[in-house]
Amino acid sequence: MKFPLVAIILALSTSFGAIADVLKIKKDAPKQYVVKKGDTLWDISGIYLDEPWLWPELWQMNPQIDNPHLIYPGDALALIYDADGNPRLVINKAYRKLSPQGRITPKGLNAITTLPLQMIKPYLSYEQAINSDDIKNMPYVLGANENTKTQTLGHILYVKGDLKVHGAYAIYNEGEPYRDLNTGEVLATRASYVGMARAFRSGDESNGVPSSLRVESVKREIKQGDFLMPAMEGQLLPAYFDIHRPLEPVEGQVIASPRQVREFSTMDVVVLNLGSEQNIEPGHVLDLERESPTVIDGPRGPRYPEDSSKFEKLLSDASQFFSNKADEDNTTWKMPKEKVGELIVFKVYDKVSYALITKNQHPIRVGDIAVIH
């Protein structure tokens, strides 16, 4: 992998102590597995466990070890059981892969990671969810040294704001707001990375003098009104993901997708209306649930609302408003929620977070519930 991340679990003895006795290996799990390029700890754990997020128990990573033994493509993993009957994955040191052109290669940058970084890297590096009020106070592009609506590599940008000479700045395009589906509250504004520029002339905003920057790299066209932030702010890759369940109950919703589609599957990224204000952390594993369709039970028998008459729907709405007392012949049944998938949170802001879907029984949709009971 291009970005080596050491998967270290911090202080999980409490959360995993209770589940160690019930760790179950899949019936078709292989007794030996050879690590391939592109594998992650999550992928490999999924070969052995129905719930890959329990991988620290299977791997028995010791949080007190500063440099845990890393595994690399070509290593052979063996499934064993310890003295207490607990399953463990260990490296089979007796395994040797023969090659007619065998050679020794340094392993340092190839250690496998916890999560598939290539899937989430664009959202770690190029996506931000920024407070809308903060954006109003950020420096923004006024224009360029050429009279064009879009600027590109080599252009000089003129920016409203007093920027530091030689400072590198990331340029973002302001997108649509992320809103709470129930209240309509704006939780954050989507910001997409478009390029990088370096200031070579300081400005004086109070006297109408813009800062000057030279564009050094471009991902998309830079436009007037795009705003700037210091380079790397909010773009740093985490050193590890401490994958675990939240200790307290939490409930939120899938409110959007950076890809702006309405249905998602495994390895898709979604946005939740949960953030640090709800004590959400990177690495939190949440269930995805969906409420089953409401049923109206009336003189013609049980029916879904879309199959009911206008009169039955009217009575159903009144029944819900008046606690099922609007009409004795029509009862509205609100059905339970059922689990439809799981996800892992990997980037957290104040009121929203980005999460990777790791399992789904049905297509995941905007409005599905992210929850821990």
Side-chain angles (χ1 to χ4, degrees):
M1 300 288 267
K2 185 176 180 180
F3 297 92
L5 300 190
V6 178
I8 304 175
I9 294 301
L10 298 180
L12 291 181
S13 57
T14 301
S15 58
F16 284 105
I19 60 175
D21 293 336
V22 296
L23 191 65
K24 294 182 180 179
I25 298 296
K26 289 181 177 180
K27 292 181 179 179
D28 59 349
K31 292 186 178 180
Q32 180 167 284
Y33 178 81
V34 179
V35 181
K36 303 187 299 296
K37 184 178 180 180
D39 277 345
T40 68
L41 296 178
W42 185 273
D43 296 331
I44 297 171
S45 299
I47 296 172
Y48 291 89
L49 302 172
D50 286 323
E51 296 182 314
W53 70 273
L54 298 178
W55 66 267
E57 182 64 24
L58 181 64
W59 295 84
Q60 272 294 270
M61 291 287 189
N62 187 333
Q64 304 304 320
I65 299 176
D66 292 331
N67 295 300
H69 189 80
L70 303 179
I71 59 174
Y72 303 86
D75 286 341
L77 306 175
L79 178 65
I80 65 169
Y81 291 83
D82 64 17
D84 296 320
N86 298 311
R88 300 286 180 256
L89 272 182
V90 298
I91 293 180
N92 181 1
K93 295 182 179 180
Y95 175 82
R96 293 290 183 273
K97 185 176 180 180
L98 299 179
S99 170
Q101 293 181 331
R103 58 181 180 177
I104 298 175
T105 57
K107 289 185 172 183
L109 297 179
N110 297 314
I112 70 169
T113 61
T114 313
L115 291 178
L117 290 181
Q118 294 305 316
M119 299 293 296
I120 64 176
K121 179 179 177 288
Y123 305 100
L124 290 166
S125 301
Y126 303 130
E127 286 281 338
Q128 303 272 9
I130 300 175
N131 186 301
S132 303
D133 292 332
D134 292 341
I135 293 178
K136 297 176 183 177
N137 299 318
M138 291 180 179
Y140 60 86
V141 176
L142 295 169
N145 60 326
E146 295 186 22
N147 187 13
T148 59
K149 292 185 178 180
T150 60
Q151 288 76 46
T152 185
L153 195 65
H155 281 186
I156 294 174
L157 300 181
Y158 302 122
V159 170
K160 180 183 178 181
D162 300 334
L163 304 184
K164 185 178 180 181
V165 175
H166 305 307
Y169 293 87
I171 307 164
Y172 290 89
N173 175 256
E174 181 177 353
E176 294 296 319
Y178 290 130
R179 296 181 180 271
D180 187 280
L181 300 181
N182 297 320
T183 67
E185 176 191 359
V186 174
L187 304 177
T189 296
R190 180 186 181 188
S192 299
Y193 172 86
V194 295
M196 188 74 69
R198 190 174 298 276
F200 66 89
R201 185 188 297 132
S202 61
D204 185 353
E205 186 175 344
S206 60
N207 290 312
V209 179
S211 293
S212 302
L213 302 89
R214 185 166 282 105
V215 178
E216 294 188 341
S217 65
V218 174
K219 186 172 183 285
R220 301 177 190 168
E221 295 89 352
I222 301 168
K223 301 179 181 179
Q224 290 173 296
D226 287 348
F227 66 92
L228 286 76
M229 295 172 58
M232 305 311 294
E233 187 170 316
Q235 293 187 9
L236 295 178
L237 292 168
Y240 55 83
F241 286 95
D242 174 12
I243 300 176
H244 60 292
R245 295 277 193 179
L247 297 179
E248 300 293 334
V250 63
E251 182 172 322
Q253 283 182 299
V254 175
I255 61 170
S257 161
R259 295 197 299 117
Q260 298 181 321
V261 296
R262 294 192 63 84
E263 289 195 343
F264 329 102
S265 186
T266 300
M267 296 296 114
D268 280 338
V269 171
V270 294
V271 182
L272 308 179
N273 63 344
L274 297 169
S276 58
E277 291 186 4
Q278 291 76 37
N279 297 317
I280 293 296
E281 303 170 357
H284 269 169
V285 178
L286 304 178
D287 292 332
L288 286 165
E289 295 182 349
R290 181 178 303 152
E291 190 169 310
S292 299
T294 297
V295 171
I296 301 171
D297 192 10
R300 295 195 298 159
R303 299 169 184 273
Y304 294 116
E306 60 267 25
D307 299 325
S308 303
S309 66
K310 292 182 179 179
F311 178 69
E312 287 174 321
K313 291 178 182 178
L314 179 62
L315 291 176
S316 170
D317 293 340
S319 175
Q320 293 183 61
F321 185 77
F322 292 107
S323 302
N324 291 342
K325 294 181 180 179
D327 187 89
E328 294 181 356
D329 295 328
N330 288 274
T331 303
T332 299
W333 292 87
K334 188 175 182 180
M335 298 305 183
K337 302 180 184 70
E338 302 294 347
K339 183 175 178 178
V340 293
E342 292 179 3
L343 51 73
I344 293 181
V345 175
F346 63 85
K347 193 170 187 178
V348 178
Y349 295 90
D350 291 344
K351 296 182 179 181
V352 301
S353 55
Y354 288 84
L356 180 73
I357 298 172
T358 56
K359 183 187 297 185
N360 68 295
Q361 290 83 28
H362 304 282
I364 305 303
R365 302 169 187 162
V366 168
D368 283 345
I369 300 164
V371 63
I372 288 294
H373 297 289

